[in-house]
Every structure is written in C-alpha cells, then in structure tokens.
Amino acid sequence: MISLRRTQHPVGQGFFHTAELGLHGGSSPWFRWLYDCGEYRSHHDARDREIGSVIRDWGVGGAVDVAFISHADSDHINGFEGLFLSGKGLKPRAIMMPQITAIERLVSWCAAVEEGGVTSAFYDAFIANPRRAIASAFGDVQVIEVVPRGDENFSNFDDAPIDVASDGLPAWRVVGPAGDDQSGRPVIQSGSQIRVQAAWTSGYPWVLVPHVAAEITGLRKDFIKALAAGMKISERRLEERIHDPLYVASLLKTQGTKLRAAYRDASPSVNATTLSLYAGPVEEMNGRHQIHYGGRRIRPTERSGRIGWLGTGDAELTGDRLQDFLDVFDQYFLYVKTVTTPHHGSARNRVPALWEALGPDVTAISAADPPKKWNHPSTVVLHDLARHGIMHLIVSSAPRSRVDEFVHYN
C-alpha cells in the first residue's frame, strides 16, 4: 500500500512544502521530505504558525529524510532555522541543494535586504559558507550538492549509488552520475534519482529527481562589474577573493551599502540558480488522489496515474535552460498532478511550454500574497494557465489558502 500526504503551507510571499510517503503493508515509518521553508518579513507569523504545525504533527525530533533548498533567496530559506531548532524542532538526515556560487549568494542577500526579506545570523553564515552554516546550526547532517548536467568542473562522475543510512524502512539511495567536488564533498548531477525503497519490495516505485540548470553568467559579470567599481578595486582582484568564505563574510559586515548598490545596478540580469524537484512515481500507479483547499475538497476523488508533484522554485526557464529542464523531466510529466508556478507566478518566469507539456489535468499552485510591488501571480501567467485549461490555486498567508493532497494506492 502507498499512502501520501503533502501540503503547500500558507506562508505568504515565500515557500514551504512538506510531504510524507508511506510505502508499507503495515506500520512502517514514513519517508518525509520538504522543499524550502521561508517567507518575507511581513509574514513571519504565518511562517512560524506553519512550522509549529508541522513540528506538532511530526513530533519534536522527528526525522526529515531529505530537506531540499531550492536556492539562497531569503524567502525560501529563512524558516529552516526554526524548523530544525535543536531540541525543539525536527531533525534533518540530509540536505540537498544546488551548488551556488558566492556571487549568487551575495545577490540573494542583497535582495533580502533591498526587497523586504528576513536576514539573521544563520542566513548571513549561509551566504558566506553554506555547508559550514548548516553543520553549525543543525549538527551531523549530510549535505549533497546538485550540479548541472555535463558540468566540466566535475570529471570524476560515475554511476555508483550514494546510500543514505536510515533507522528503518523505507530506505533511499541516490542513483545517477555522482562524485566529489574539488574539496572532496559529495555532489550529484542534475537529473539523478533519489529512489525510495518500499518495505515490501526490492523495487523503487517512488523517486525524487532534482534538477539544476547552468548558472546565468550575465549575473556574475554585471554584479562583479558594479561591485568592483563601487569598492574601487579591479574586477580581477574581486574575482580572486570572492571565493574565500571569510572574505564574503567580511563583505556582509563592512560593505553592505556597496553590495546593495551593486545589486541595484545589476538587478535587470538577476535571477537565481534554482533546484527544481519532481517527486512521484516512475510508472503508472493509478492511485486515488484528493486535493483540499482551505480544508475543503475541491475535486472529486480521482483514480489516476497522475499523483506526482513538480516544484519549480524561482527557475528561469528560457532558451537552453528550458530545453534542459524539459529533457530532464519529460519522462515524468505523465505522472505530475500538481506543479508550482515558477517564481510565484512572475511574468519574467513565464513558461507556456511547461503548461503545454503538462496538459489540462494538472493543478498549478502559486505561493504569493499579491502585493503591488511584485504583482505575483502575474496576469500573463494566469492567462497562460486559463488557455491550457489548468486549475490554479493561490496559497497566501491566510490559513484558508492551505493546499493538502492525499493519495492512496493499494
């Protein structure tokens, strides 16, 4: 039997998605994961309310098998500190995230300060050195970074699986191109599968597939140029030093004004490298699916092979990046039931090709309190969804906007 519960939490202009998967014939443990946890400053009460709800449901010290960080923007990450608070929160076994350059992390920090996000000692430490910040805040947790397909910086990939220890079933492993970076830290290639092992079979009926596209190089050039000019040093000198975590930490402490000025100058080219995620079956499963919006079932119970979920974070899906995204996820589109709109439904992240590929049987979700400043979700995205006959739900900070999904399969 397969049981699945997943929730898009109402945290306002932010993101927080949790899921529990039971692959069992009895009372075997749940496999639990989450995708991002954060909000912008005006919605911290809603964020903390939802964090408290999950901790009460899963229990203090309850295991999270995999926590995904899609990118370094504050509204997707500033809830992790409270969610995994030692002695009061949950316990992550592994954290998976894209390998984010120091420049992109600094841009995310600037966006948090400039656009009303929340910063903290943990967030500043994460911007300077993500792995060290995670280890300091959350203790012994495995961190696995995802790199783009064909990344020439990682030539030591092979197909040996990364096994992740579990206290019980279901167990899981990463299968796909994997290796170590220059510092000997584990990395996997975009499109690899996290396969969840059922207690009653040797097969892997459920997978989680992370995808990361190549860095947007215009961001690096424009931001470096603006920051070097503001600090009155050469771009080459800045490029040499920007990879040192201690130097990045010093910039946050002493050069905040110049960082923000460089961000404003480079902002037309700013968009973050994002980890997108498919979580669902790899074969026709014909599960019974229910979706509730604000506690009310909004669709009849469906018996359908479409029971998967696709999270897009703030992905910018244009040109080669879109094609890479489609190449990785095309084989799973048949099973997707719910999908998040890229960047909260931003017009800049409009992607009609995605809705064309998925078809009308999916439900699209935008996590957004729609202030005039961002205009999320945008009118053009709403029109795209309507043209393709796709039902659209907005998850805001209001509890009645929470989306819960339930899947049962015998």
Side-chain angles (χ1 to χ4, degrees):
M1 181 177 72
I2 292 177
S3 299
L4 173 68
R5 301 195 296 256
R6 58 190 179 213
T7 300
Q8 180 87 15
H9 295 269
V11 294
Q13 189 67 34
F15 204 90
F16 185 16
H17 177 86
T18 59
E20 291 184 289
L21 175 69
L23 294 171
H24 51 74
S27 57
S28 298
W30 290 87
F31 178 83
R32 293 169 173 161
W33 73 92
L34 61 92
Y35 181 81
D36 288 345
C37 182
E39 50 74 47
Y40 269 120
R41 187 183 305 276
S42 58
H43 303 301
H44 62 274
D45 289 340
R47 179 202 64 190
D48 293 344
R49 176 195 67 217
E50 294 303 309
I51 287 175
S53 174
V54 174
I55 292 174
R56 287 190 298 272
D57 188 27
W58 291 1
V60 173
V64 175
D65 290 275
V66 194
F68 293 92
I69 296 175
S70 69
H71 60 293
D73 281 1
S74 175
D75 61 317
H76 289 249
I77 196 175
N78 61 45
F80 280 96
E81 196 171 9
L83 187 68
F84 297 141
L85 185 64
S86 178
K88 296 182 179 180
L90 305 175
K91 176 63 178 176
R93 285 198 173 109
I95 291 178
M96 192 166 290
M97 58 181 287
Q99 190 161 76
I100 312 168
T101 66
I103 294 169
E104 284 209 53
R105 298 197 306 270
L106 283 170
V107 167
S108 292
W109 182 89
C110 293
V113 176
E114 284 285 295
E115 300 180 16
V118 177
T119 63
S120 66
F122 167 72
Y123 186 65
D124 287 358
F126 181 90
I127 297 302
N129 190 328
R131 285 182 177 271
R132 181 172 296 175
I134 289 170
S136 297
F138 309 141
D140 184 20
V141 54
Q142 185 174 15
V143 178
I144 302 172
E145 292 176 310
V146 183
V147 299
R149 296 193 302 164
D151 193 322
E152 61 185 15
N153 294 318
F154 301 93
S155 58
N156 59 338
F157 281 123
D158 57 43
D159 286 323
I162 298 175
D163 288 299
V164 179
S166 177
D167 296 334
L169 294 173
W172 62 280
R173 59 169 43 183
V174 179
V175 176
D180 299 324
D181 68 5
Q182 296 90 333
S183 302
R185 301 170 299 194
V187 295
I188 65 171
Q189 200 171 75
S190 175
S192 298
Q193 291 182 343
I194 299 172
R195 297 181 179 179
V196 182
Q197 169 83 53
W200 40 265
T201 178
S202 60
Y204 296 91
W206 198 271
V207 299
L208 294 91
V209 181
H211 167 65
V212 173
E215 179 190 6
I216 302 173
T217 56
L219 168 67
R220 166 183 291 275
K221 295 176 182 177
D222 291 352
F223 185 74
I224 283 289
K225 181 178 181 179
L227 183 58
M231 296 179 63
K232 295 182 170 54
I233 62 174
S234 70
E235 293 177 35
R236 179 178 178 180
R237 178 61 172 157
L238 182 57
E239 286 270 20
E240 290 172 350
R241 302 191 66 186
I242 203 73
H243 304 291
D244 180 355
L246 293 178
Y247 182 67
V248 174
S250 72
L251 289 178
L252 297 178
K253 291 180 180 179
T254 65
Q255 302 294 332
T257 300
K258 293 175 182 177
L259 285 168
R260 293 164 64 184
Y263 169 79
R264 288 192 293 268
D265 288 344
S267 60
S269 70
V270 169
N271 222 320
T273 294
T274 291
L275 183 152
S276 300
L277 179 71
Y278 169 77
V282 291
E283 59 189 24
E284 187 76 24
M285 297 185 70
N286 201 25
R288 299 190 307 277
H289 177 267
Q290 296 178 16
I291 184 167
H292 293 236
Y293 189 44
R296 300 179 62 183
R297 191 169 64 190
I298 60 173
R299 273 185 168 173
T301 300
E302 300 175 81
R303 193 161 191 88
S304 168
R306 284 186 173 270
I307 56 177
W309 181 87
L310 181 62
T312 58
D314 283 5
E316 182 174 306
L317 301 176
T318 57
D320 291 343
R321 298 170 66 83
L322 172 60
Q323 189 57 55
D324 191 33
F325 179 93
L326 296 175
D327 288 346
V328 167
F329 290 123
D330 179 69
Q331 63 181 304
Y332 307 107
F333 282 160
L334 179 64
Y335 312 120
V336 172
K337 185 62 180 179
T338 53
V339 56
T340 65
T341 59
H343 204 167
H344 313 276
S346 164
R348 179 172 177 176
N349 298 63
R350 179 187 181 191
V351 54
L354 175 60
W355 313 123
E356 182 69 32
L358 289 170
D361 293 330
V362 301
T363 298
I365 300 174
S366 296
D369 270 352
K372 293 180 180 178
K373 180 175 181 179
W374 293 290
N375 191 31
H376 295 163
S378 70
T379 302
V380 291
V381 170
L382 295 178
H383 286 173
D384 287 341
L385 295 170
R387 280 197 298 272
H388 289 90
I390 294 173
M391 185 170 73
H392 178 245
L393 304 176
I394 296 177
V395 178
S396 67
S397 59
R400 65 181 179 274
S401 69
R402 171 174 167 150
V403 174
D404 292 290
E405 295 179 82
F406 308 92
V407 173
H408 302 282
Y409 169 75
N410 292 317

